[in-house]
Amino acid sequence: MNHHKMKMAVLGASACWLGLTVATAADEMPPEKSLAGLEYELIGRDDIYDYRALDSYSEAPFLTTLVNEGKLPPVAERLPKEPIVFKTAAMSDGIGTHGGVFRHVIGGRPEGWNWMAGQHQGWGGINMAVQECLVRQGPRWQIKGEDQTGPLPNLAKSWTWNDDRTQLTMNLMEGVKWSDGEPFDTEDVRFWWEDNVEDKNVSSRLPAGSLADGAKMEVIDDHTFRFTFDKPQSETLVESLAYIQGCPGPSHILKDKHPKYNSDATYESYTNTLPNDLLPPVVLGAWVPVVHKPDELVVMRRNPYYFKVDENGQQLPYYNEMHFRLSTWGDRTTQAVAGTGDFSNMEDPGNYVEALRQSQSDDSPVKAQFGPRVLSWRLDLNLSEESADDDVDLALRKLFRNKDFRLALSHALDRNAVGQSIARGPFAYPYTGGYATGSPYYDAASTDYHPFDQDRANALLDGLGLKDTDGNGLRNLPDGGPDLAIDVQYTAGRNEDRKQLDAMTSLFAEVGIRLLPRGIDEANIDTIRTGGNYTALFQRRNLIVPTRETCESLPSGDACPYFHQPVDGKRALLDFEPELIAAYETFITSEDPVEKANATKDMQRLITENAYVIGTVQAPAALLVNKRVRNAHPGTPVFMYEWAEDGVIRERLWTPADQQLDELFPGTVAEY
Ligand code: GLA
């Protein structure tokens, strides 16, 4: 933080010197007090894992029984030629022992198992337990600066660029198998790319055209494939092939259900072909869902084909069973503190004080440590005129597309009040969009702060001709239109979202604008969000790394961001959006670190100067992990390159045998 302070001091001095001219320049962010207390040693890129054949392998003892009964092939045949080997030196508690249960509690509900068509499995680490991706971002939080050259390998064990960086050739691990024993190879990657990502009818998490303009893929052989690009790219582009964007699904199951291969199938039937009650799905992840009791529980059992081992040759994961209790996000923290759940990303600041108090005592089942501010909340106004529902909606969207209107909303927000509404104390810090302060790409000097200023908000709204024509205290839409009321959807189960909306509703009312918050349940909010089916949406979104869930925040590709989507391929960009697209492109394509850094500063400036989204506050989060759990590195941030569920490397977590919890389905694996 000293770094930021220093920059602001310099800026402050030049502001005085420049005198009046700065009055119209960007407002500076107020000083920030960090609460981060994470301490850890940074390590090299290759220190966490590598790929190699070991002399011998072992497995969870119950699997040996299944092998002896002829129900599974021997472990050496189930593993790839050169599995991923997790290095002991990087484990905070060392090599583990098989067995036991890891208990998650989540607020989401599995939509279905076809993640290739954009379906989620309920978040909170459940998607990530079933999906494995070409490359991996989560563990990067621990890697030293000079080794931060790009993502870590995963299914793609290596890759090379041609000289002018227009071709990226990726090499898959050989001999990886799906949880039903079928081989994973380039046919799965081809199907993922050609028939999901690049098929505009499929709502892939990596939307068509968003990896890079004109990107094409060709298969070279069973384990080699190549992307070709119109323009030179950089290593950064490879980050886009991590979770949730670059995770192939089982083509041997899905191809037959896809309209390209099956004339009876429709895109809708394809999307829904793996409903959440059809178990077990075929996965590459460490655990396989075997039971789903709606609104109660998902139980997963270890995947006997998982392609990772420790240095003793023990097949991972260490835990035999993983539970996802289907509850609420707030309950995740309550249960972690109570010791009935093993893990929580504490992200509801309303819980912080009490959870911290309880976790301080020696006999508390959990440890809690705050990281930097990586949680940020924002109001996304739908900027698409083309998709407006009716005349009133259209009139609203025209306003949303007006910078003065967005700035007025931003100035109408007393962000300290909004912050205090979710948690008393020093947790919340103002957020006006762009990178959160905990992002490696955050730059305070490029961030336009829109201080609370009702006069400025009113002047801007007056300037737009938005008058209270019927004297009821609310401004009216132009030309004798109805009251200026904005329907805002949010996730009903998220307390911190609702509390902020309550505060925002009062603040906007003070400048004559009505907010109409509408809580949507977990099962539906995701489709509404990614489909852009809303007038306005209030949510927590973390822009920390621009290549991650890019479509949430940036106009990368024709259909992004979600809050500004085209209809029939048509949309009118706002005047600064082309510049934002160019900045993103520079970030992805440039190999010059200075140019890259400047591109992220440009993004930050463009997003905040133009109030692309209406940010409210940003807060730190604390990771809660039960003390029974070993190898949960104490430095793990709740979020950085990826959520902690990935960053903490769950396949490597373990519990000593005498502290292991009883399994619900001992001795079993998913059967197909
Ligand atoms: C949800 C939760 C986060 C995290 C992610 C993982 O968004 O709120 O804390 O668990 O899921 O995908």
Side-chain angles (χ1 to χ4, degrees), residues 10 16 82 113-114 169 216 269 316 369 371 462 487 499 670:
V10 172
C16 293
E82 295 188 329
W113 308 109
N114 191 2
T169 306
K216 288 186 192 56
S269 71
L316 299 178
Q369 195 77 272
D462 291 348
D487 181 89
K499 285 185 204 157

Side-chain angles (χ1 to χ4, degrees), residues 104-108 122-128 243-244 329 332 343-347 375 494 496 522 540-542 548-549 638-639 642-645:
H104 279 283
V105 175
I106 61 174
W123 310 109
I126 177 166
N127 302 0
M128 287 179 216
Y243 175 82
I244 190 174
W329 296 113
R332 173 170 69 170
F343 178 98
S344 183
N345 296 330
M346 191 164 74
E347 62 186 0
L375 306 176
R494 298 231 186 226
E496 62 280 18
E522 279 280 351
R540 196 233 331 104
R541 276 294 134 206
N542 317 328
R548 183 187 177 278
E549 293 192 306
V638 164
F639 188 94
E642 191 40 82
W643 284 104
E645 290 91 334

Side-chain angles (χ1 to χ4, degrees), residues 328-397:
T328 63
W329 296 113
D331 191 39
R332 173 170 69 170
T333 293
T334 308
Q335 295 217 33
V337 171
T340 52
D342 292 326
F343 178 98
S344 183
N345 296 330
M346 191 164 74
E347 62 186 0
D348 173 351
N351 283 330
Y352 287 4
V353 174
E354 184 55 20
L356 282 178
R357 196 184 60 72
Q358 292 190 27
S359 64
Q360 295 313 316
S361 72
D362 285 348
D363 57 357
S364 159
V366 284
K367 283 185 275 205
Q369 195 77 272
F370 274 112
R373 286 192 175 80
V374 288
L375 306 176
S376 50
W377 284 265
R378 64 187 214 204
L379 179 68
D380 288 0
L381 303 171
N382 197 327
L383 301 177
S384 161
E385 276 185 39
E386 295 81 2
S387 69
D389 286 338
D390 52 41
D391 287 353
V392 173
D393 206 25
L394 182 63
L396 282 172
R397 295 193 192 190

Side-chain angles (χ1 to χ4, degrees), residues 367-587:
K367 283 185 275 205
Q369 195 77 272
F370 274 112
R373 286 192 175 80
V374 288
L375 306 176
S376 50
W377 284 265
R378 64 187 214 204
L379 179 68
D380 288 0
L381 303 171
N382 197 327
L383 301 177
S384 161
E385 276 185 39
E386 295 81 2
S387 69
D389 286 338
D390 52 41
D391 287 353
V392 173
D393 206 25
L394 182 63
L396 282 172
R397 295 193 192 190
K398 283 190 196 296
L399 280 179
F400 297 169
R401 292 170 59 84
N402 188 301
K403 177 176 169 181
D404 283 352
F405 184 77
R406 298 192 304 275
L407 285 176
L409 290 191
S410 200
H411 283 297
L413 283 181
D414 176 351
R415 293 180 165 86
N416 290 327
V418 176
Q420 294 304 309
S421 78
I422 44 171
R424 297 243 171 259
F427 301 107
Y429 175 75
Y431 178 65
T432 54
Y435 298 102
T437 66
S439 160
Y441 303 107
Y442 175 70
D443 176 47
S446 309
T447 309
D448 196 356
Y449 176 51
H450 312 142
F452 177 45
D453 187 340
Q454 290 182 328
D455 292 342
R456 205 144 140 193
N458 279 319
L460 287 163
L461 295 168
D462 291 348
L464 291 167
L466 297 165
K467 297 264 148 51
D468 174 11
T469 50
D470 51 12
N472 68 351
L474 289 173
R475 293 173 189 272
N476 290 72
L477 287 172
D479 309 320
D483 287 343
L484 209 176
I486 307 174
D487 181 89
V488 187
Q489 305 190 41
Y490 70 100
T491 309
R494 298 231 186 226
N495 292 334
E496 62 280 18
D497 295 17
R498 191 188 39 74
K499 285 185 204 157
Q500 290 190 59
L501 269 172
D502 287 348
M504 290 163 75
T505 305
S506 321
L507 288 162
F508 286 155
E510 286 175 30
V511 296
I513 295 174
R514 172 169 285 167
L515 277 194
L516 301 168
R518 185 146 59 93
I520 305 291
D521 61 56
E522 279 280 351
N524 295 319
I525 193 81
D526 199 68
T527 319
I528 291 174
R529 185 168 59 80
T530 55
N533 301 320
Y534 54 81
T535 301
L537 182 71
F538 185 73
Q539 56 177 339
R540 196 233 331 104
R541 276 294 134 206
N542 317 328
L543 179 58
I544 303 296
V545 177
T547 46
R548 183 187 177 278
E549 293 192 306
T550 311
C551 201
E552 303 283 358
S553 304
L554 294 167
S556 59
D558 303 343
C560 301
Y562 293 135
F563 55 87
H564 190 183
Q565 297 191 36
V567 172
D568 297 332
K570 288 199 195 68
R571 69 168 167 176
L573 291 178
L574 301 183
D575 56 1
F576 64 93
E577 282 183 304
E579 237 187 297
L580 196 51
I581 295 171
Y584 179 70
E585 240 190 72
T586 304
F587 177 76

Side-chain angles (χ1 to χ4, degrees), residues 87-159:
K87 300 192 179 175
T88 317
M91 297 180 175
S92 53
D93 298 302
I95 294 233
T97 179
H98 285 125
V101 182
F102 190 86
R103 300 162 306 169
H104 279 283
V105 175
I106 61 174
R109 299 292 180 269
E111 193 180 12
W113 308 109
N114 191 2
W115 62 87
M116 300 275 271
Q119 285 192 321
H120 68 80
Q121 291 77 58
W123 310 109
I126 177 166
N127 302 0
M128 287 179 216
V130 295
Q131 300 182 30
E132 288 283 334
C133 315
L134 293 170
V135 297
R136 187 166 190 178
Q137 285 278 83
R140 277 182 70 182
W141 61 266
Q142 206 185 350
I143 293 179
K144 56 186 176 209
E146 60 267 39
D147 276 6
Q148 288 289 6
T149 47
L152 301 176
N154 194 48
L155 291 168
K157 63 183 283 190
S158 59
W159 51 90

